[in-house]
Structure formats: structure tokens, C-alpha cells
Amino acid sequence: SNGNDCDDNNNLINPGITEVCDGMDNNCDGNMDEGLSLFTYYLDNDMDGFGDLNNSTSTCALSAPAGYVTNSGDCDDNNNLINPAIAEICDGIDNNCDGNMDEGLALFNYYPDVDMDGFGDPNTPLNTCATSAPSGYVLDNTDCDDTNPMANPNINETWDGVDNDCNGMIDDGLVGTENIAQMDVEIFPNPATNHLNISMDYQGTVIMKIMNAQGQLVNESTVLFNQNHQVQLTYPSGLYLIQASNDEGELLFVERFLKW
């Protein structure tokens, strides 16, 4: 006399049956799994045990479907080395998913070394957790002119109007140089490859000294100067300083040149 069975081939489906979580209408009320507690599970694409908060499914199943977990703490579900159980390392990434990058790590200051003389500019430090200096940076911060490799604490002071040794004084300790005026001189080509031409309104004996970027003397010669002179360059590529004095020790000029 009762015609309310919604699946007369299954004696576990009828209006007298209690609804269970199986994706079927067990009690024939037109709904599936109604009235049951729902649970949310999160996709664990990288299989590290932590799921993606933005990719979830809700079901009455008491256990997570394959590929899903109950934890939603993963901030990068494509990388199994990024999740709340990972220790933070210095890489510019939020490894432990706490919303911060490189937190709690020791920080170091490195200084740009634009002129590549091994001494850095103290005015523009880089604060980072890296345990070694990035390219173009050094630990030292005592360069007083990071655009000039001939100015750093390792350079000997020369008469050129520059604080070469970075002690805060210009041309200090050089006897008799404060009253010597540098002559007008033209050096070319600059940069130079095989030779350097020097032109100035001077005739007489000239003592030429050439120093490298570290302030070391690489050549000294005495020449009879007659307004023009050519210096042969047999040195490695780099920045050099050429200093000329007369035979009485008076400085005529100091100039920089680049050797290709």
C-alpha cells in the first residue's frame, strides 16, 4: 500500500532509513547527505601535508579525499619546501608561511664598491641576511671616493688635489707641494691602447712616474721634454696615474689615464 520507495532495487534506501554520507538519497526525501555535518578539506598539490586555503572542497566525509588535507596553511602549494613546518632561510622567500621574508635571521651590512678597489662606500650600505657580500659589494666601508680607485686607505698620498689615502686631508705629508701650480697639459688618447701622447708648453728635463690603481710605481723615466712626448704603454689594462716633475723636483702635472 506504500509507494514512497525511491530505489526499489536497494533495501537500504527507503523513507525509513537514516541518511548517511554516501552521496545518495538514503531516506528518499529528494536530497543527498542532508542534515549531516560538513567538513572542509584543502588541496595539497605539492604533497607536503599542508593545503591551499584558496582551493578547497566541503563534504560530509570524515576523512579527506585523495590529494586533500585538513590543514590550510600552505602559502605556496607548488613548492613542498615552503610551508609552516619549514625553517626560514635567507633567500628572499617566506619559507615558513608566516607572512614575512627572512625574519629572525642575522643581518649583515655590505657596502657598494663601484670603483672595484676593495673598499666600500659607507653612505649606501646594503642590509641583508646573506653571509657573503653580493656582487659589487664588500665588507669594508672606508672608501672616501668610490668613483676613484686612486682614492682609498691603501693608496699613498700623491700631489693631485685628492685625498688619496682617505685620511680626511688632501696632499698631506708632501713637502713643498702646496705652492706648485699644475701646468696645462693634454694627454691623448685616453683611454689609450699602445701609447700615450703628452702635450704641454714646457721644454727641459722631465721625470715621469707612472703608478697603478693601488699606488704602486710601475715605471719611472727621465726624458728631455720639448712640448710633446710619447709614452709607450706596456702595462696590463687598468687605471693609471702619470706624474711629471722637473729636474729640480717641482711637480709639473698629475693626470689619470685608462689603459685598454
Side-chain angles (χ1 to χ4, degrees):
S1 62
N2 186 302
N4 294 330
D5 202 333
C6 55
D7 185 350
D8 201 35
N9 293 311
N10 189 339
N11 64 359
L12 295 179
I13 296 179
N14 62 65
I17 295 295
T18 300
E19 193 73 14
V20 295
C21 183
D22 58 2
M24 294 190 292
D25 180 13
N26 306 101
N27 58 10
C28 292
D29 67 350
N31 301 298
M32 295 186 298
D33 301 337
E34 78 280 359
L36 302 177
S37 298
L38 292 178
F39 304 93
T40 301
Y41 301 102
Y42 304 91
L43 179 66
D44 183 15
N45 186 62
D46 57 13
M47 301 180 66
D48 60 2
F50 296 86
D52 182 357
L53 178 64
N54 300 311
N55 198 334
S56 64
T57 184
S58 293
T59 174
C60 57
L62 295 177
S63 59
Y68 285 77
V69 293
T70 59
N71 188 297
S72 63
D74 206 332
C75 54
D76 185 349
D77 201 36
N78 293 311
N79 187 343
N80 62 4
L81 295 178
I82 297 178
N83 63 61
I86 296 293
E88 195 72 13
I89 60 175
C90 184
D91 58 1
I93 297 174
D94 179 14
N95 308 100
N96 59 9
C97 293
D98 68 348
N100 301 297
M101 295 186 298
D102 302 338
E103 77 281 357
L105 302 177
L107 296 177
F108 305 91
N109 281 330
Y110 301 103
Y111 304 88
D113 183 18
V114 175
D115 57 14
M116 300 180 65
D117 61 2
F119 297 84
D121 180 1
N123 299 310
T124 53
L126 172 67
N127 189 245
T128 174
C129 56
T131 55
S132 59
S135 177
Y137 285 78
V138 293
L139 273 171
D140 183 276
N141 66 346
T142 58
D143 205 334
C144 54
D145 184 352
D146 200 38
T147 64
N148 182 3
M150 295 299 297
N152 66 61
N154 203 35
I155 296 292
N156 294 323
E157 194 72 16
T158 58
W159 189 85
D160 58 0
V162 174
D163 179 14
N164 306 98
D165 57 9
C166 290
N167 68 349
M169 296 180 285
I170 297 174
D171 299 341
D172 55 299
L174 304 178
V175 179
T177 58
E178 64 275 8
N179 296 320
I180 300 176
Q182 179 163 314
M183 298 189 66
D184 288 335
V185 61
E186 181 181 4
I187 62 172
F188 60 94
N190 190 9
T193 304
N194 299 315
H195 61 269
L196 186 71
N197 295 309
I198 302 171
S199 177
M200 65 176 172
D201 187 17
Y202 183 83
Q203 295 182 5
T205 301
V206 173
I207 301 169
M208 297 273 187
K209 293 183 179 180
I210 297 179
M211 289 158 283
N212 61 20
Q214 288 71 46
Q216 300 166 325
L217 182 68
V218 297
N219 183 265
E220 180 175 347
S221 61
T222 300
V223 300
L224 188 60
F225 199 93
N226 187 15
Q227 297 189 339
N228 294 283
H229 182 68
Q230 187 177 88
V231 177
Q232 298 301 316
L233 303 178
T234 58
Y235 325 119
S237 298
L239 185 67
Y240 291 88
L241 191 76
I242 183 168
Q243 175 183 298
S245 305
N246 61 21
D247 54 2
E248 296 180 358
E250 295 177 323
L251 190 64
L252 300 175
F253 70 82
V254 178
E255 293 288 340
R256 296 183 186 88
F257 69 91
L258 187 64
K259 164 71 166 61
W260 281 143

